[in-house]
């Protein structure tokens, strides 16, 4: 077409002035030589740029560097022709289709155009190294090595696919300067013997490889697949929605040629209108189908012949031909090869300045890492410096812990804090013992830590304790305690028995709650260690303080954590003992709590107003279920036959007693008379009679003289109509509530605050320092120099030195490239 344009009349129009004389032969030779030299220089620059990127790519694969190197990633479904296309680009066959290399691991093909390599020289990069092995020539050996490396690596990681690539460098006179990453082909269903998740794993891996913006995507699809029914076109749109970095190749194009009869059919198919957009032009490629054993030269000849045959068919066998000016540059393998090579070189040239800046940054980072390792090696021989650094680090952690206890919002509570449910789950403590309903304190749904979380646990403990009523006591226990007190004599048997029942209940039910509170508070304090470490790291990064960087000393950090946990655990143990002491004091028989004036006003009136002379004696209380039923049935009903209520020989006397007891005579007992208001002399058989005085209990006598009136509590008449068991339980519940109130409102909060928070603020660093640093040098160094750790540091340093050498070499090359640009 260019020739037709040049031969047109407008192109050969004769100028009006006289033509210049033709150049001399020497001038023509000089111009030709200059053009040749310029082309050679451009080719040399292009090859140098390509070699530099190849070495950089090898270093990135070996050391796990994340470098934005321009690369081409070939993707497509299985059997879409990717393997055949790679062989055509290489210029020789090595049977990669036979080993299905694209179904397991990516293959990075670094093609280097070397005019001196008349036979292909292929070398594989060693696993986990930037070094390449010996050149391989035999095609079967190449295929076998790919298969062996793939299977070995998959067995090692126990997986069906792997994203770790195999790197092969091919130097050949008939291949372009090109690097392509061949990926596993998409499949809809796993092969027999493979996990069902294999298709999804392949898809995820390919998307991860093709998604980085610095990579070009080479998408292959068979010509027999219509654009409207393409399965993998949607996957391509997920990777590159706008197709800005995508090159689409329609493979096996010769299978479609027989369907074209007229020009509009060909042009419509080649345009792919409606599916790819106006500015997207796919390439249409056909390759030789003969898989027999042929020479490399014959293979390349067949590739050229297929291109010629496809164009001839479109020109001669299609009515009207096709729009060759528009679609001709996109038909044939040779057009695709030239486009790929020029596009990659253009991307190399554009990315060179950014790559140079990134290499300088990486070299600086590696140098800093080497300096850190050197400092660590030096520290192993300078114990005094290491002690100073360790003590400074421990002091900093303690300072951050105090700040967190005093109230802080850094780091973010939304991330590092915990709700009440999360605290219970992570601590493994669970719900409060003896509490059936969940306890929801204020702010239970907020994520808190430090002093705020400590205070919330205290509120939760208070709520849990107040939600507990006095536990139900069996009739047997009540009877054992009450009757034993009655046997000792005195009028205070009922209240003393109730107080003893309340003491036993408080000791039994409140002690587990106290232990749980101490454990929960200890968990809150232990959780602060990670937050203090995070605050310390943030502070160092904020102010660029790397002098006291101890992150690499895992042994020391573990010892520091263990010492802190031990300190908190010891505080929890001490707090349990202190609070248990308060509980023992409150529940002691000698405690004044149950005998305070205001409390006795409410409870002690029962003993004061109760007339035991209504009954033959306290020992005659029937606390069993049958006795209670009988008392309730006889409420306010006088007995019909009082002979049945008294012993046969004492019937008349008992009647007289009942008559006298029914007479209520107000009486003010004299302090000078120690006579018992209940009056009763115990005979040998243990049955009291209404004769003779009895000594009072000192406390109750004092109370009776001060509070002679009933203050609304259960009186003697009520007692005569109610169960003795219910009365004892009611009085015990009041005693229990009083003990609980004194313990929770007065004793426990101050004990827990002074037992946990005060030592953390005042004694933490001293305790940690004594355990970690008050040791000899040999024991101190055990935290820093574990067996073999020095050798490990030396090995890491050697690896960094090798990495630094490679990166500096690439950096110098790219500096030269940048100057040429």
């Amino acid at each position: 077409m260019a020739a037709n344009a040049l031969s047109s009349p407008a192109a050969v129009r004769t100028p009006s002035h006289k033509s210049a004389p033709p150049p001399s032969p020497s001038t023509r030779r000089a111009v030709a030589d200059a053009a040749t030299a310029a082309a050679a220089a451009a080719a040399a620059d292009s090859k140098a740029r390509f070699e530099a990127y190849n070495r950089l790519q090898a270093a990135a694969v070996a050391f796990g560097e994340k470098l934005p190197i321009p690369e081409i990633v070939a993707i497509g479904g299985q059997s879409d022709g990717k393997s055949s296309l790679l062989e055509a680009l290489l210029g020789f066959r090595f049977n990669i289709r036979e080993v299905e290399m694209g179904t397991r691991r990516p293959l990075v093909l670094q093609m280097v155009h070397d005019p001196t390599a008349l036979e292909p020289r292929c070398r594989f990069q060693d696993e986990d190294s930037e070094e390449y092995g010996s050149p391989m020539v035999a095609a079967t050996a190449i295929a076998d090595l790919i298969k062996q490396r793939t299977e070995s690596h998959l067995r090692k990681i126990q997986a069906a696919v792997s994203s770790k690539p195999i790197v092969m460098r091919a130097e050949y006179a008939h291949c372009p300067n090109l690097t392509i990453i061949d990926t596993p082909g998409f499949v809809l269903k796993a092969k027999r013997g493979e996990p069902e998740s294999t298709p999804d794993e392949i898809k995820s891996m390919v998307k991860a490889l093709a998604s980085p913006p610095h990579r070009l995507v080479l998408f292959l699809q068979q010509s027999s697949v219509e654009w409207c029914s393409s399965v993998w076109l949607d996957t391509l749109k997920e990777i590159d929605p706008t197709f800005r970095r995508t090159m689409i190749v329609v493979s096996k194009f010769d299978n479609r040629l027989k369907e074209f009869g007229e020009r509009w059919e060909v042009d419509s198919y080649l345009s792919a209108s409606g599916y790819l957009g106006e500015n997207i032009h796919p390439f249409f490629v056909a390759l030789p189908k003969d898989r027999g054993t042929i020479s490399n030269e014959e293979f390349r000849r067949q590739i050229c012949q297929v291109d010629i045959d496809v164009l001839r068919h479109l020109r001669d066998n299609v009515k009207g031909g096709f729009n060759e000016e528009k679609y001709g540059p996109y038909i044939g393998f040779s057009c695709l090869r030239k486009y790929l090579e020029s596009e990659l070189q253009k991307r190399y040239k554009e990315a060179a300045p950014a790559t140079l800046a990134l290499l300088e940054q990486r070299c600086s980072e590696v140098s800093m890492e080497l300096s850190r390792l050197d400092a660590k090696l030096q520290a192993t021989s300078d114990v005094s410096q290491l002690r100073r650094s360790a003590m400074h680090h421990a002091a900093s952690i303690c300072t951050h812990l105090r700040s967190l206890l005093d109230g802080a919002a850094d780091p973010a509570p939304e991330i590092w804090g915990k709700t009440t449910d999360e605290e219970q789950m992570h601590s493994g403590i669970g719900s409060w013992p003896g509490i059936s309903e969940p306890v929801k304190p204020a702010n239970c749904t907020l994520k808190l830590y430090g002093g705020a979380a400590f205070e919330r646990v205290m509120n939760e403990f208070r709520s849990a304790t107040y939600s507990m009523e006095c536990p139900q006591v069996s009739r047997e226990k009540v009877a054992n305690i009450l009757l034993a007190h009655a046997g000792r004599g005195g009028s205070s048997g009922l209240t003393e028995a109730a107080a003893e029942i309340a003491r036993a209940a408080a000791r039994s039910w409140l002690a587990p709650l106290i232990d749980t509170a101490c454990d929960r508070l200890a968990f809150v304090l232990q959780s602060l260690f990670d937050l203090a470490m995070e605050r310390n790291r943030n502070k160092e990064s904020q102010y660029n303080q790397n002098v006291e960087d101890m992150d690499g000393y895992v042994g020391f950090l573990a010892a520091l954590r263990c010492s802190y946990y031990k300190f908190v655990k010891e505080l929890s143990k001490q707090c349990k003992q202190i609070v248990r002491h308060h509980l023992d004091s409150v529940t002691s028989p000698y405690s004044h709590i149950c005998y305070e004036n205001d409390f006795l006003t409410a409870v002690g009136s029962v003993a004061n107003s109760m007339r035991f002379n209504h009954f033959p004696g306290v020992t005659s209380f029937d606390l069993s279920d049958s006795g209670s039923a009988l008392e309730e049935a006889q409420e306010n009903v006088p007995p019909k036959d009082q002979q049945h209520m008294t012993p046969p020989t004492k019937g008349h006397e008992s009647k007289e007693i009942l008559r006298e007891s029914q007479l209520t005579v107000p009486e003010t007992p004299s302090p000078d008379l120690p006579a018992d208001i209940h009056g009763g002399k115990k005979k040998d058989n243990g049955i009291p009679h209404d004769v003779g005085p009895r000594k009072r209990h000192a406390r109750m006598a004092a109370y009776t003289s001060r509070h002679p009136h009933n203050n609304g509590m259960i009186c003697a008449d009520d007692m005569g109509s109610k169960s003795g068991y219910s009365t004892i339980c009611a009085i015990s519940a009041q005693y229990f509530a009083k003990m609980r109130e004194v313990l929770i409102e007065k004793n426990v909060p101050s004990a827990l605050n002074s037992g946990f928070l005060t030592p953390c603020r005042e004694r933490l660093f001293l305790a940690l320092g004594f355990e970690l640093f008050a040791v000899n040098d040999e024991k101190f160094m055990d935290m820093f120099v574990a067996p073999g750790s020095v050798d490990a540091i030396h090995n890491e340093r050697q690896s960094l030195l090798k990495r630094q050498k490679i990166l500096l070499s690439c950096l110098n090359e790219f500096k030269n490239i940048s100057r040429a640009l």
Side-chain angles (χ1 to χ4, degrees):
M1 290 189 180
N4 293 336
L6 290 174
S7 60
S8 62
V12 296
R13 187 173 300 148
T14 303
S16 57
H17 57 82
K18 185 177 181 181
S19 300
S24 63
S26 59
T27 303
R28 287 196 297 271
R29 282 196 300 271
V31 172
D33 292 342
T36 303
D45 291 342
S46 176
K47 184 175 181 180
R49 197 159 44 241
F50 181 78
E51 288 285 355
Y53 273 108
N54 272 356
R55 275 191 286 275
L56 188 59
Q57 187 181 53
V61 172
F63 296 110
E65 295 280 358
K66 301 295 183 180
L67 299 174
I69 302 172
E71 297 164 325
I72 298 175
V73 181
I75 68 173
Q78 201 168 34
S79 303
D80 277 347
K82 289 193 288 84
S83 301
S84 298
L85 179 63
L86 292 178
E87 287 183 337
L89 290 170
L90 286 168
F92 66 94
R93 285 177 170 170
F94 59 94
N95 297 326
I96 53 177
R97 292 178 60 189
E98 300 297 327
V99 299
E100 296 182 335
M101 50 74 59
T103 61
R104 296 295 182 271
R105 291 178 66 181
L107 176 67
V108 179
L109 286 175
Q110 296 177 341
M111 308 176 203
V112 180
H113 176 69
D114 187 354
T116 63
L118 301 180
E119 293 294 332
R121 294 193 300 264
C122 298
R123 295 184 298 164
F124 285 87
Q125 185 178 346
D126 296 336
E127 300 276 20
D128 303 318
S129 173
E130 80 282 2
E131 302 293 337
Y132 286 85
S134 302
M136 304 177 66
V137 178
T140 55
I142 297 172
D144 291 341
L145 184 58
I146 293 175
K147 182 178 181 180
Q148 181 268 328
R149 285 198 175 188
T150 300
E151 294 177 350
S152 175
H153 178 68
L154 294 180
R155 279 196 305 268
K156 181 179 179 181
I157 64 173
Q158 297 182 350
V161 294
S162 173
S163 60
K164 185 176 182 180
I166 298 174
V167 181
M168 186 182 84
R169 179 184 174 90
E171 300 170 354
Y172 195 28
H174 301 284
C175 73
N177 288 317
L178 195 64
T179 297
I180 291 184
I181 302 175
D182 186 32
T183 62
F186 298 126
V187 292
L188 294 174
K189 187 177 180 180
K191 293 194 308 182
R192 182 179 300 177
E194 288 184 341
E196 293 296 327
S197 61
T198 299
D200 293 334
E201 291 179 12
I202 291 176
K203 185 177 179 180
S204 299
M205 182 183 69
V206 172
K207 289 175 66 175
L209 288 171
S211 294
H214 61 273
R215 286 178 171 170
L216 303 175
V217 181
L218 183 64
F219 175 72
L220 278 81
Q221 179 174 276
Q222 295 187 46
S223 62
S224 58
V225 178
E226 300 294 339
W227 293 112
C228 60
S229 59
S230 175
V231 177
W232 309 120
L233 189 61
D234 293 336
T235 304
L236 175 64
K237 291 179 180 179
E238 295 176 11
I239 297 172
D240 184 20
T242 60
F243 299 145
R244 294 186 62 181
R245 53 189 181 88
T246 298
M247 297 165 287
I248 298 177
V249 176
V250 178
S251 61
K252 304 178 182 180
F253 182 54
D254 50 338
N255 295 338
R256 189 83 184 206
L257 294 178
K258 58 185 178 181
E259 300 181 12
F260 300 138
E262 297 185 6
R263 177 180 179 130
W264 70 268
E265 294 176 333
V266 180
D267 292 347
S268 176
Y269 178 79
L270 296 179
S271 65
S273 59
Y275 299 101
L276 301 180
E278 294 296 330
N279 298 324
I280 306 300
H281 298 289
F283 286 87
F284 301 88
V285 175
L287 295 172
K289 292 184 171 57
D290 183 13
R291 298 300 302 175
T293 304
I294 58 176
S295 64
N296 293 334
E297 185 178 356
E298 176 61 21
F299 176 57
R300 294 191 297 274
R301 190 198 65 79
Q302 290 183 3
I303 293 174
C304 296
Q305 186 61 46
V306 170
D307 283 351
I308 294 172
D309 293 341
V310 168
L311 288 173
R312 182 184 297 118
H313 181 90
L314 292 175
R315 291 167 181 160
D316 300 342
N317 298 342
V318 174
K319 184 178 180 180
F322 71 106
N323 191 342
E324 192 166 353
E325 181 178 1
K326 184 175 182 180
Y327 301 113
Y330 303 101
I331 296 177
F333 170 77
S334 58
C335 295
L336 174 64
R337 170 177 164 165
K338 291 177 182 178
Y339 180 80
L340 291 177
E341 190 171 12
S342 63
E343 185 67 17
L344 190 60
Q345 289 296 332
K346 185 181 76 173
R347 297 297 180 104
Y348 281 163
K349 186 175 181 179
E350 293 174 351
T355 305
L356 176 61
L358 184 60
L359 280 173
E360 290 178 342
Q361 177 184 343
R362 293 296 170 85
C363 288
S364 177
E365 292 173 355
V366 171
S367 298
M368 292 176 62
E369 188 70 12
L370 281 172
S371 299
R372 187 184 66 83
L373 290 179
D374 290 338
K376 187 178 291 188
L377 287 172
Q378 183 181 1
T380 57
S381 59
D382 189 352
V383 182
S384 60
Q385 175 61 33
L386 198 58
R387 278 182 180 273
R388 286 192 295 270
S389 300
M391 292 181 69
H392 186 278
H393 184 81
S396 179
I397 295 298
C398 292
T399 301
H400 290 303
L401 285 169
R402 285 195 296 271
S403 300
L404 292 169
L405 289 176
D406 293 339
D410 176 38
E414 298 83 1
I415 300 174
W416 293 87
K418 292 182 179 66
T419 63
T420 296
D421 292 339
E422 290 172 344
E423 282 182 4
Q424 293 179 349
M425 180 181 64
H426 293 160
S427 64
I429 297 174
S431 60
W432 296 89
I435 307 297
S436 57
E437 297 295 330
V439 180
K440 299 295 183 182
N443 304 314
C444 62
T445 59
L446 297 182
K447 290 181 175 289
L448 305 178
Y449 57 65
F454 188 96
E455 184 61 27
R456 184 175 62 185
V457 174
M458 293 289 293
N459 292 334
E460 186 181 355
F461 168 64
R462 185 178 294 107
S463 300
T465 308
Y466 277 117
S467 66
M468 174 180 287
E469 300 297 336
C470 183
Q472 192 75 13
V473 184
S474 67
R475 294 176 182 272
E476 287 77 6
K477 290 183 179 180
V478 173
N480 275 276
I481 297 174
L482 178 61
L483 298 180
H485 277 277
R488 293 200 296 267
S491 64
S492 61
L494 185 66
T495 54
E496 286 293 340
E500 183 59 33
I501 292 171
R503 294 187 193 103
R507 286 191 293 266
S508 175
W509 291 91
L510 295 182
L513 290 177
I514 291 172
D515 291 346
T516 301
C518 292
D519 292 337
R520 284 283 303 279
L521 293 173
F523 173 77
V524 169
L525 294 182
Q526 288 179 343
S527 301
L528 293 183
F529 186 84
D530 290 325
L531 278 77
M533 292 287 292
E534 180 67 17
R535 281 172 61 95
N536 191 57
R537 278 192 290 267
N538 292 341
K539 181 180 178 182
E540 290 182 352
S541 61
Q542 182 179 358
Y543 296 102
N544 295 323
Q545 296 177 353
N546 297 317
V547 179
E548 312 297 340
D549 182 17
M550 306 296 289
D551 286 346
Y553 297 107
V554 179
F556 168 71
L557 295 179
L560 180 61
R561 180 186 295 268
C562 290
S563 297
Y564 174 69
Y565 284 2
K566 181 180 177 182
F567 177 78
V568 174
K569 188 176 181 180
E570 187 64 26
L571 291 182
S572 176
K573 181 179 178 182
Q574 294 173 3
C575 284
K576 288 180 182 179
Q577 294 175 351
I578 295 173
V579 180
R580 282 293 187 96
H581 175 72
H582 285 296
L583 178 61
D584 293 340
S585 299
V586 170
T587 58
S588 171
Y590 303 100
S591 175
H592 67 281
I593 291 176
C594 295
Y595 307 104
E596 293 177 346
N597 293 342
D598 56 344
F599 185 66
L600 288 174
T601 300
V603 177
S605 59
V606 174
N608 181 51
S609 61
M610 186 175 296
R611 296 291 185 265
F612 283 144
N613 59 351
H614 282 221
F615 306 96
V618 178
T619 57
S620 67
F621 282 174
D622 190 352
L623 299 173
S624 63
D625 295 336
S626 60
S628 299
L630 180 60
E631 290 178 0
E632 293 172 2
Q634 293 178 345
E635 182 179 44
N636 296 326
V637 179
K640 293 180 181 181
D641 187 2
Q642 298 188 18
Q643 295 289 337
H644 296 283
M645 299 179 62
T646 60
T649 59
K650 301 290 183 178
H652 180 74
E653 183 180 0
S654 299
K655 290 180 181 180
E656 294 298 325
I657 294 173
L658 288 172
R659 289 193 190 99
E660 293 176 4
S661 66
Q662 292 172 355
L663 298 176
T664 303
V665 180
E667 183 181 39
T668 303
S670 172
D672 300 328
L673 296 177
D676 192 348
I677 64 172
H678 303 297
K681 181 177 180 182
K682 187 192 260 186
K683 286 189 174 183
D684 294 338
N685 59 4
I687 301 177
H689 288 272
D690 192 21
V691 291
R694 180 183 297 173
K695 292 183 179 180
R696 298 173 181 267
H697 190 282
R699 293 186 180 120
M700 294 310 299
Y703 163 75
T704 303
S705 64
R706 290 191 299 268
H707 304 280
H709 304 290
N710 190 336
N711 290 299
M713 298 302 297
I714 302 173
C715 64
D717 294 336
D718 296 330
M719 185 66 185
S721 64
K722 289 191 177 181
S723 168
Y725 170 73
S726 300
T727 304
I728 291 290
C729 289
I731 300 175
S732 299
Q734 296 185 43
Y735 278 125
F736 178 85
K738 181 61 177 178
M739 296 176 187
R740 178 182 60 187
E741 179 184 357
V742 172
L743 193 68
I744 302 306
E745 297 299 334
K746 297 181 180 179
N747 298 341
V748 173
S750 60
L752 293 181
N753 276 281
S754 61
F756 276 112
L757 299 182
T758 302
C760 285
R761 292 188 177 105
E762 299 177 358
R763 295 193 289 109
L764 177 58
F765 180 66
L766 182 62
L768 298 183
F770 183 80
E771 183 170 352
L772 295 175
F773 307 119
V775 294
N776 57 35
D777 289 347
E778 182 178 357
K779 188 174 182 180
F780 175 77
M781 290 303 297
D782 288 343
M783 294 185 293
F784 296 88
V785 185
S789 61
V790 176
D791 294 337
I793 295 175
H794 278 293
N795 293 336
E796 184 180 358
R797 185 176 182 276
Q798 290 299 321
S799 177
L800 278 176
L801 285 173
K802 185 180 292 186
R803 177 181 169 191
Q804 184 186 48
K805 180 180 179 181
I806 295 294
L807 290 176
L808 286 175
S809 175
C810 293
L811 176 62
N812 292 330
E813 288 187 81
F814 274 92
K815 284 183 177 180
N816 295 330
I817 292 173
S818 298
R819 295 189 190 100
L821 294 176

